[in-house]
Amino acid sequence: MTHHGTMLDAARRTSVLERLRAHRPSILHAIDPFKVKLDQAVEKARALEELGFPAVILASTDWEDFDAVVDRFIDEIRAATHDLPILLHFPPRLGYGMPMVGAADATMYPFLLGSTDPYFAWQSYAETVQCLTDDPRRRPAREILHLAALTFGTDQPSHEVMALEPIESTRVRAERLLEMIEILGLQGAYLFSRYEMVPPSVCRIFREQMPSDKILFASGGVREPERAHQFFDAGVDFVVFCGALERPDWRPVLEALAAGAPVAGIPAAPRTLAVAR
Amino acid sequence: MTHHGTMLDAARRTSVLERLRAHRPSILHAIDPFKVKLDQAVEKARALEELGFPAVILASTDWEDFDAVVDRFIDEIRAATHDLPILLHFPPRLGYGMPMVGAADATMYPFLLGSTDPYFAWQSYAETVQCLTDDPRRRPAREILHLAALTFGTDQPSHEVMALEPIESTRVRAERLLEMIEILGLQGAYLFSRYEMVPPSVCRIFREQMPSDKILFASGGVREPERAHQFFDAGVDFVVFCGALERPDWRPVLEALAAGAPVAGIPAAPRTLAVAR
């Protein structure tokens, strides 16, 4: 029996989820700990907290030596910030399951419903439960968010790692996915396009048809406030930007994105969220 | 680390699945070990094997003291038969997961996509992995078949135990469920109606649109060969009858059902299975 908390215990907790629900709409930044140097990641996390971001995400499509790298990022970010939740967002790997670090506040668990390999749809979750139980050194994040993860447009890296096929941008396809989210009891959806843009029309269908307690992320190609605005106008709860800050002069870019978008600390003009119920 | 075989190992095995694939179409009998006396169950299992049935199923909507009861049924049936696979088909229970007995040849794992509680759609699977790992006395069946389990018509007992809502008998609903079966990588579907009849039109859509390696069961209200014929004519691979034999004079009923239906030992007239690919 594992007494330090199981993955299923973590899945039952909702405090990060509730914090996110309470801070929408908001812009978020994802730092790739396998690309960004540790000292710069710490500086960025401190800047995010000062700007009122409700969380920082550590994310990557690839990972190696996960625990050693991510543990250090979490420790240093934790030491440099006051109360900034640290979320993880990584793909699982067959034979290992989902990489997690017990010190993280939450893992965004992607249910990749656009994968042709059911391992990435849900089976990795069962494997992760098994692997975490078998190896007592591995600990789940404190909370696990179950999210449908859907990718739009051609995306060779995601295809190679996770057998992902692009989601068609049609209402029929969106509604079928929404039904799966409901049946599987997922807590929201993460829409992503690596090289193109998640169609705002699809974002709108998701936000209008998902119950209001589910949360909607959109990500990919967000480098200027205009792109973020397009997503917020389409009803997205959390617009996530990643690569925009992967440059030496990241600070003015971050400030421009934060100034032009709703964050908890810098309220935007009042707007109405279109929610179904 | 569990060395005696995990649920995930069991899920990777396909020998019972392949045996079933090779024996379709076929009629099957499910014995409720919580209703039928042990000595009668053993007699029935022996009769099934003599009649060429490819397996016997132990199944119930309810269960109590599972291991003690089902263990004895498996042991005695095993001792009285030569080579008859014993399959289990039961619902999971929150806090315990799926009941299984290591001596069974396979567990038919129901993914209840018509439940309003995601525990019954897939989350019970993760819990079962956890519970089996936490309690070394519990062992998975040797093989696990992942099956969409779908119920048609009003069914208060199933609603109470598994939060099941009746599946609508429309092509649109069927096609959405078929897409979920594909995305989740389930190995087939088990269609059931407690008080009515699974619509043959729905069976036909499932058989025509599922890849031929997936297997299709239909069950509920099968007491005469005519009802079984209706299902076979609609493309069902396995027609399962249960309550028809819950009477003292069960043997002539069994013989009539077996004589009128295709089983491995009594080949029916050649027929063509409608399969999509």
Side-chain angles (χ1 to χ4, degrees):
Chain A
M1 182 74 83
T2 49
H3 293 287
H4 54 253
T6 66
M7 214 171 125
L8 298 167
D9 293 333
R12 279 182 209 110
R13 288 187 207 107
T14 56
S15 65
V16 170
L17 177 62
E18 276 160 23
R19 181 179 173 119
L20 289 173
R21 283 178 183 148
H23 283 80
R24 52 188 175 177
S26 193
I27 197 161
L28 289 169
H29 177 49
I31 298 172
D32 183 341
F34 299 92
K35 273 194 195 161
V36 176
K37 286 207 175 4
L38 178 57
D39 57 346
Q40 201 184 83
V42 170
E43 272 184 74
K44 287 176 180 172
R46 196 186 283 128
L48 295 177
E49 187 168 50
E50 279 164 14
L51 289 164
F53 282 54
V56 60
I57 301 171
L58 301 180
S60 176
T61 307
D62 290 310
W63 49 267
E64 286 301 332
D65 199 11
F66 188 89
D67 288 36
V69 173
V70 176
D71 246 339
R72 286 185 61 214
F73 274 71
I74 293 176
D75 286 351
E76 300 271 329
I77 290 172
R78 192 75 80 197
T81 54
H82 299 284
D83 183 29
L84 187 68
I86 305 170
L87 279 57
L88 308 183
H89 197 203
F90 295 87
R93 189 172 292 170
L94 185 61
Y96 186 87
M98 178 63 72
M100 287 193 235
V101 165
D105 293 286
T107 281
M108 303 163 74
Y109 203 109
F111 290 73
L112 292 149
L113 305 182
S115 176
T116 58
D117 183 346
Y119 180 78
F120 294 101
W122 73 278
Q123 293 177 2
S124 75
Y125 198 92
E127 183 181 61
T128 306
V129 171
Q130 182 80 56
C131 289
L132 262 70
T133 312
D134 285 348
D135 182 351
R137 291 166 304 177
R138 288 181 64 185
R139 309 264 297 258
R142 295 168 192 169
E143 183 175 333
I144 299 177
L145 307 176
H146 294 183
L147 301 172
L150 306 169
T151 58
F152 294 78
T154 306
D155 181 345
Q156 198 57 30
S158 295
H159 179 78
E160 279 165 17
V161 176
M162 297 166 280
L164 287 177
E165 294 293 334
I167 301 289
E168 307 86 348
S169 303
T170 63
R171 175 173 290 271
V172 167
R173 178 73 165 141
E175 289 182 348
R176 289 185 173 206
L177 290 163
L178 286 159
E179 186 177 39
M180 287 192 70
I181 288 169
E182 193 63 36
I183 291 173
L184 301 178
L186 306 182
Q187 293 157 324
Y190 193 105
L191 313 183
F192 172 66
S193 180
R194 193 180 296 270
Y195 302 119
E196 302 171 31
M197 182 185 181
V198 179
S201 59
V202 174
C203 299
R204 185 164 299 286
I205 294 168
F206 270 76
R207 186 59 282 167
E208 285 177 355
Q209 297 198 19
M210 281 200 302
S212 62
D213 63 341
K214 299 193 192 293
I215 52 178
L216 178 62
F217 299 80
S219 176
V222 178
R223 296 178 177 277
E224 303 92 21
E226 292 67 31
R227 174 64 65 96
H229 282 152
Q230 286 179 280
F231 282 133
F232 287 123
D233 287 345
V236 169
D237 296 320
F238 301 101
V239 175
V240 184
F241 61 95
C242 319
L245 300 199
E246 287 170 9
R247 48 193 285 175
D249 55 336
W250 54 269
R251 201 175 288 270
V253 181
L254 170 61
E255 283 168 359
L257 279 162
V263 295
I266 306 172
R271 51 187 291 282
T272 307
L273 267 180
V275 289
R277 40 176 160 139
Chain B
M1 180 76 82
T2 52
H3 292 288
H4 55 254
T6 66
M7 214 169 125
L8 299 167
D9 294 332
R12 280 183 208 111
R13 287 187 208 108
T14 57
S15 65
V16 170
L17 177 61
E18 277 161 23
R19 181 179 173 118
L20 289 173
R21 282 178 183 149
H23 283 79
R24 53 190 174 175
S26 195
I27 197 160
L28 288 169
H29 177 49
I31 298 172
D32 183 340
F34 298 92
K35 274 193 195 161
V36 176
K37 286 206 175 5
L38 178 57
D39 57 346
Q40 201 184 82
V42 170
E43 271 184 77
K44 286 176 180 171
R46 197 185 283 129
L48 296 176
E49 187 168 49
E50 279 163 14
L51 289 164
F53 281 55
V56 60
I57 302 171
L58 300 179
S60 177
T61 306
D62 290 311
W63 49 267
E64 284 302 331
D65 199 11
F66 188 89
D67 288 36
V69 173
V70 176
D71 246 340
R72 286 185 61 214
F73 273 70
I74 293 175
D75 286 351
E76 301 268 330
I77 290 173
R78 192 75 81 197
T81 53
H82 297 285
D83 183 29
L84 186 70
I86 304 170
L87 279 58
L88 307 182
H89 197 202
F90 295 87
R93 191 173 291 169
L94 185 63
Y96 185 87
M98 178 62 72
M100 285 192 238
V101 165
D105 292 285
T107 282
M108 302 163 74
Y109 202 110
F111 291 73
L112 292 149
L113 306 182
S115 176
T116 57
D117 182 346
Y119 180 77
F120 294 101
W122 72 278
Q123 293 176 2
S124 75
Y125 198 93
E127 183 180 60
T128 306
V129 171
Q130 183 80 57
C131 289
L132 263 69
T133 312
D134 285 348
D135 182 351
R137 290 166 305 176
R138 287 181 65 185
R139 307 266 294 261
R142 295 168 192 168
E143 184 175 333
I144 299 176
L145 306 177
H146 295 184
L147 301 171
L150 307 169
T151 59
F152 295 78
T154 306
D155 181 345
Q156 198 58 29
S158 296
H159 179 79
E160 279 165 18
V161 175
M162 298 166 277
L164 288 177
E165 294 293 334
I167 301 290
E168 306 87 349
S169 303
T170 63
R171 174 172 291 271
V172 167
R173 178 74 164 138
E175 289 181 349
R176 290 187 173 204
L177 290 163
L178 285 159
E179 185 177 40
M180 287 192 70
I181 288 169
E182 193 62 36
I183 292 173
L184 300 178
L186 307 183
Q187 293 156 324
Y190 193 104
L191 314 182
F192 172 66
S193 179
R194 192 180 296 271
Y195 303 118
E196 303 171 31
M197 182 186 180
V198 179
S201 60
V202 174
C203 298
R204 185 165 299 285
I205 294 168
F206 270 76
R207 186 59 281 169
E208 285 176 355
Q209 297 197 18
M210 281 200 302
S212 62
D213 63 339
K214 299 194 193 293
I215 52 179
L216 177 62
F217 299 79
S219 176
V222 178
R223 297 178 177 277
E224 304 92 21
E226 292 67 33
R227 174 63 64 97
H229 282 152
Q230 286 180 283
F231 282 134
F232 286 123
D233 287 345
V236 169
D237 296 322
F238 301 102
V239 175
V240 184
F241 61 96
C242 319
L245 301 200
E246 287 170 8
R247 48 193 284 175
D249 56 337
W250 54 268
R251 201 174 289 269
V253 181
L254 170 60
E255 283 167 2
L257 280 162
V263 296
I266 306 173
R271 52 187 289 282
T272 308
L273 269 178
V275 290
R277 39 175 161 140

